């Protein structure tokens, strides 16, 4: 008599890879900026947080956003793609808000954040990366 308990269940659908072609460069850039933002914010928060708490806290938030996007891109799949796209939109909003805020009220920022002046200290990558990410993730959904 056949063993029905050992019957093979249908295989789960494979996650769509988001890290192919230009997506690999996107993951690499997000990984690099994650390391930079985490290192910067960890150092600043641990050594001089009392000097500029707002910029250092915002840099830590940016680091968490970058880390989550990097993780989502590497993980792959439709849920991760949607989460990464939402985070890219939140990241772009943060860059635009903080970038504008640093120009309008520079006294509130005695030290720079990752998103200060629209990411000028990071070669404007913080303002370019989320736009590129959202376009890539949109393209991956259609492709």
């Amino acid at each position: 008599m056949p063993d029905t308990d050992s019957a093979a269940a249908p295989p789960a659908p494979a996650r769509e890879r988001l890290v192919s072609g230009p997506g690999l460069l996107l993951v690499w850039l997000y990984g690099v900026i994650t390391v930079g933002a985490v290192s910067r914010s960890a150092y600043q928060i641990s050594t001089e947080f009392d000097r500029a708490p707002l910029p250092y806290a915002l840099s830590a938030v940016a680091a968490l956003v970058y880390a989550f996007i990097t993780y989502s891109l590497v993980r792959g799949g439709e849920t991760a793609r949607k989460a990464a796209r939402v985070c890219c939109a939140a990241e772009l909003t943060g860059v635009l808000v903080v970038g504008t805020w640093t120009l309008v009220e520079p006294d509130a920022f005695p030290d720079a954040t990752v998103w200060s002046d629209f990411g000028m200290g990071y070669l404007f990558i913080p303002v370019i990366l989320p736009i590129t990410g959202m376009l890539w993730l949109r393209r991956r959904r259609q492709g």
Side-chain angles (χ1 to χ4, degrees):
M1 190 182 266
D3 185 10
T4 56
D5 291 339
S6 64
R15 284 192 194 121
E16 178 191 4
R17 285 183 43 94
L18 299 173
V19 191
S20 59
L24 185 59
L25 177 60
L26 190 64
V27 168
W28 185 83
L29 287 170
Y30 266 113
V32 168
I33 203 161
T34 297
V35 170
V38 166
S39 301
R40 177 184 185 149
S41 63
Y43 174 77
Q44 290 173 326
I45 288 172
S46 65
T47 61
E48 43 197 32
F49 187 73
D50 57 331
R51 189 168 71 90
L54 178 62
Y56 300 158
L58 288 172
S59 286
V61 168
L64 292 174
V65 170
Y66 293 141
F68 183 79
I69 293 170
T70 304
Y71 169 77
S72 296
L73 291 172
V74 170
R75 179 167 167 76
E78 185 60 18
T79 302
R81 187 195 63 77
K82 287 178 182 178
R85 199 156 173 224
V86 167
C87 280
C88 284
E91 173 194 357
L92 181 59
T93 301
V95 172
L96 296 175
V97 168
V98 173
T100 303
W101 191 1
T102 58
L103 296 176
V104 172
E105 195 177 342
D107 292 340
F109 295 86
D111 204 353
T113 74
V114 175
W115 294 340
S116 291
D117 303 319
F118 307 103
M120 187 168 63
Y122 285 80
L123 305 174
F124 296 104
I125 291 172
V127 78
I128 297 167
L129 205 52
I131 295 168
T132 306
M134 288 187 297
L135 291 173
W136 171 252
L137 291 164
R138 180 174 165 218
R139 182 172 163 250
R140 295 303 297 176
R141 182 192 70 212
Q142 295 171 347

